[in-house]
Amino acid sequence: WRDKTRNFVDQSMSKEISWARINRRSLSIGTLMPGVISDRLNHLIFIVDTSGSVDEKMFKAMLSEVAGALDENVTDQLTVLYADTRVHDVDHFVPGDLVTGRTLENGGGGTMFSDSFKWITDNAPEASAVIYLTDLQVSDFGEDPGCPVLWAVFGPEHSFDHLAERAPFGMPIHIG
Protein backbone atom coordinates (compact mmCIF):
# COMPACT_ATOMS: atom_id res chain seq x y z
CA TRP A 1 0.00 0.00 0.00
CA ARG A 2 2.94 2.33 0.57
CA ASP A 3 4.05 2.02 -3.05
CA LYS A 4 0.49 2.55 -4.29
CA THR A 5 0.16 5.66 -2.13
CA ARG A 6 3.45 7.08 -3.46
CA ASN A 7 2.39 6.32 -7.04
CA PHE A 8 -0.94 8.05 -6.47
CA VAL A 9 0.81 11.18 -5.16
CA ASP A 10 3.28 11.11 -8.07
CA GLN A 11 0.49 10.73 -10.64
CA SER A 12 -1.48 13.57 -9.02
CA MET A 13 1.35 16.05 -9.51
CA SER A 14 0.89 18.37 -12.44
CA LYS A 15 3.38 17.89 -15.25
CA GLU A 16 4.43 20.35 -17.91
CA ILE A 17 6.12 19.64 -21.23
CA SER A 18 9.21 21.81 -21.58
CA TRP A 19 12.02 22.33 -24.06
CA ALA A 20 14.16 23.40 -21.08
CA ARG A 21 14.48 19.72 -20.22
CA ILE A 22 15.18 17.61 -23.30
CA ASN A 23 13.84 14.04 -23.37
CA ARG A 24 17.00 11.91 -23.20
CA ARG A 25 15.33 8.97 -24.92
CA SER A 26 14.75 11.07 -28.01
CA LEU A 27 18.51 11.66 -28.34
CA SER A 28 19.09 7.95 -28.98
CA ILE A 29 16.98 8.12 -32.15
CA GLY A 30 18.75 11.27 -33.36
CA THR A 31 16.03 13.82 -32.65
CA LEU A 32 15.24 16.36 -29.98
CA MET A 33 11.93 16.17 -28.13
CA PRO A 34 10.73 18.15 -25.12
CA GLY A 35 10.88 16.54 -21.71
CA VAL A 36 8.48 16.60 -18.79
CA ILE A 37 8.91 18.70 -15.67
CA SER A 38 6.96 17.47 -12.67
CA ASP A 39 5.46 20.17 -10.57
CA ARG A 40 4.59 19.82 -6.92
CA LEU A 41 1.18 19.19 -5.47
CA ASN A 42 -0.26 22.45 -4.28
CA HIS A 43 -2.49 21.01 -1.56
CA LEU A 44 -2.77 17.39 -0.42
CA ILE A 45 -5.81 16.54 1.72
CA PHE A 46 -5.69 13.50 4.02
CA ILE A 47 -9.02 12.50 5.57
CA VAL A 48 -9.28 10.03 8.43
CA ASP A 49 -12.52 8.15 9.04
CA THR A 50 -12.87 8.38 12.83
CA SER A 51 -16.07 6.36 13.00
CA GLY A 52 -14.33 3.70 15.05
CA SER A 53 -13.32 1.38 12.23
CA VAL A 54 -9.80 2.71 11.67
CA ASP A 55 -7.28 1.74 14.32
CA GLU A 56 -4.63 4.06 15.76
CA LYS A 57 -1.70 2.00 14.44
CA MET A 58 -2.91 2.12 10.81
CA PHE A 59 -3.72 5.82 11.14
CA LYS A 60 -0.19 6.61 12.36
CA ALA A 61 1.39 4.52 9.58
CA MET A 62 -0.71 6.18 6.89
CA LEU A 63 -0.16 9.68 8.32
CA SER A 64 3.59 9.04 8.33
CA GLU A 65 3.45 8.03 4.67
CA VAL A 66 1.39 11.08 3.70
CA ALA A 67 3.64 13.38 5.75
CA GLY A 68 6.53 12.13 3.63
CA ALA A 69 5.10 14.09 0.69
CA LEU A 70 5.51 17.25 2.76
CA ASP A 71 8.99 16.30 4.00
CA GLU A 72 10.19 15.54 0.47
CA ASN A 73 8.84 18.88 -0.84
CA VAL A 74 6.33 17.12 -3.10
CA THR A 75 3.47 19.22 -1.74
CA ASP A 76 3.21 22.84 -0.60
CA GLN A 77 0.67 22.08 2.12
CA LEU A 78 -1.01 19.16 3.83
CA THR A 79 -4.41 19.33 5.48
CA VAL A 80 -5.62 16.49 7.71
CA LEU A 81 -9.38 16.20 8.29
CA TYR A 82 -10.86 14.01 11.02
CA ALA A 83 -14.42 13.01 10.19
CA ASP A 84 -17.20 10.53 10.83
CA THR A 85 -20.62 11.90 9.82
CA ARG A 86 -19.09 15.39 9.86
CA VAL A 87 -15.65 17.00 9.93
CA HIS A 88 -14.84 17.59 13.60
CA ASP A 89 -11.13 18.52 13.55
CA VAL A 90 -8.73 19.99 10.96
CA ASP A 91 -4.93 20.31 11.04
CA HIS A 92 -2.89 22.28 8.49
CA PHE A 93 0.81 21.70 7.82
CA VAL A 94 3.40 23.35 5.55
CA PRO A 95 6.99 22.30 4.75
CA GLY A 96 9.13 22.45 7.88
CA ASP A 97 6.23 21.63 10.23
CA LEU A 98 6.36 18.55 12.39
CA VAL A 99 3.37 16.51 11.24
CA THR A 100 1.63 15.02 14.22
CA GLY A 101 -1.75 13.39 14.34
CA ARG A 102 -4.45 13.73 16.92
CA THR A 103 -5.81 10.73 18.71
CA LEU A 104 -8.86 9.19 17.11
CA GLU A 105 -11.01 9.56 20.23
CA ASN A 106 -13.27 12.38 18.92
CA GLY A 107 -15.10 10.18 16.43
CA GLY A 108 -16.97 6.97 16.87
CA GLY A 109 -20.27 7.83 15.22
CA GLY A 110 -21.56 6.64 11.89
CA THR A 111 -19.86 7.36 8.59
CA MET A 112 -20.80 9.83 5.84
CA PHE A 113 -18.26 11.20 3.37
CA SER A 114 -20.44 14.03 2.04
CA ASP A 115 -19.46 16.54 4.76
CA SER A 116 -15.74 15.88 4.15
CA PHE A 117 -16.02 16.57 0.43
CA LYS A 118 -18.23 19.60 1.09
CA TRP A 119 -15.51 20.90 3.44
CA ILE A 120 -13.00 20.56 0.61
CA THR A 121 -15.29 22.35 -1.87
CA ASP A 122 -15.90 25.19 0.61
CA ASN A 123 -12.43 25.52 2.17
CA ALA A 124 -9.87 24.01 -0.23
CA PRO A 125 -11.25 24.13 -3.79
CA GLU A 126 -7.66 24.18 -5.09
CA ALA A 127 -6.92 20.75 -3.56
CA SER A 128 -4.60 18.71 -5.79
CA ALA A 129 -5.47 15.26 -4.39
CA VAL A 130 -7.35 13.55 -1.56
CA ILE A 131 -6.39 10.41 0.35
CA TYR A 132 -9.26 9.03 2.46
CA LEU A 133 -8.36 6.43 5.13
CA THR A 134 -11.55 4.45 5.79
CA ASP A 135 -13.15 1.02 5.97
CA LEU A 136 -15.46 2.17 3.13
CA GLN A 137 -18.53 1.05 5.11
CA VAL A 138 -20.72 3.94 3.95
CA SER A 139 -23.78 4.67 1.84
CA ASP A 140 -23.24 8.45 1.49
CA PHE A 141 -20.12 9.04 -0.62
CA GLY A 142 -20.92 12.68 -1.29
CA GLU A 143 -19.87 14.60 -4.40
CA ASP A 144 -16.66 14.04 -6.34
CA PRO A 145 -14.32 16.87 -5.20
CA GLY A 146 -12.98 17.40 -8.72
CA CYS A 147 -9.46 16.12 -7.98
CA PRO A 148 -7.95 12.62 -7.73
CA VAL A 149 -9.20 10.60 -4.75
CA LEU A 150 -7.45 7.56 -3.26
CA TRP A 151 -9.60 5.39 -0.99
CA ALA A 152 -7.11 3.75 1.41
CA VAL A 153 -9.35 0.93 2.61
CA PHE A 154 -8.58 -0.56 6.01
CA GLY A 155 -10.21 -3.86 6.94
CA PRO A 156 -10.50 -7.51 5.98
CA GLU A 157 -9.23 -8.31 2.51
CA HIS A 158 -12.11 -10.71 1.75
CA SER A 159 -14.62 -7.83 1.74
CA PHE A 160 -12.42 -5.33 -0.15
CA ASP A 161 -13.57 -6.14 -3.71
CA HIS A 162 -17.26 -5.79 -2.80
CA LEU A 163 -16.66 -2.46 -1.05
CA ALA A 164 -14.32 -1.11 -3.74
CA GLU A 165 -16.81 -1.64 -6.57
CA ARG A 166 -19.33 0.58 -4.73
CA ALA A 167 -17.06 3.66 -4.82
CA PRO A 168 -18.61 6.04 -7.40
CA PHE A 169 -15.29 7.85 -7.98
CA GLY A 170 -11.65 7.58 -6.99
CA MET A 171 -9.26 4.64 -6.77
CA PRO A 172 -9.63 2.16 -3.87
CA ILE A 173 -6.59 0.28 -2.56
CA HIS A 174 -6.51 -2.26 0.27
CA ILE A 175 -4.08 -1.41 3.04
CA GLY A 176 -4.87 -4.25 5.42
Side-chain angles (χ1 to χ4, degrees), residues 39-44 69-70 73-78 93-96 128:
D39 198 5
R40 295 158 46 138
L41 291 172
N42 176 44
H43 194 172
L44 178 60
L70 195 64
N73 289 320
V74 173
T75 186
D76 295 325
Q77 58 183 318
L78 169 65
F93 302 99
V94 295
S128 303

Side-chain angles (χ1 to χ4, degrees), residues 59-171:
F59 162 63
K60 295 291 186 187
M62 193 73 184
L63 180 63
S64 174
E65 196 62 34
V66 172
L70 195 64
D71 293 340
E72 296 166 12
N73 289 320
V74 173
T75 186
D76 295 325
Q77 58 183 318
L78 169 65
T79 299
V80 181
L81 305 179
Y82 302 85
D84 45 28
T85 58
R86 64 177 182 79
V87 174
H88 51 81
D89 289 306
V90 179
D91 291 328
H92 298 283
F93 302 99
V94 295
D97 287 349
L98 178 62
V99 177
T100 57
R102 298 173 188 238
T103 61
L104 298 181
E105 62 194 31
N106 286 343
T111 307
M112 291 181 5
F113 300 151
S114 55
D115 193 57
S116 300
F117 291 121
K118 183 177 180 338
W119 187 97
I120 292 169
T121 302
D122 294 346
N123 299 285
E126 81 295 345
S128 303
V130 175
I131 299 175
Y132 211 124
L133 178 60
T134 180
D135 64 356
L136 218 54
Q137 298 280 350
V138 66
S139 58
D140 179 6
F141 279 88
E143 297 291 321
D144 186 333
C147 63
V149 174
L150 177 74
W151 300 103
V153 182
F154 180 81
E157 191 168 5
H158 64 79
S159 61
F160 172 73
D161 290 336
H162 170 71
L163 294 169
E165 64 189 27
R166 293 179 42 232
F169 56 87
M171 180 179 77

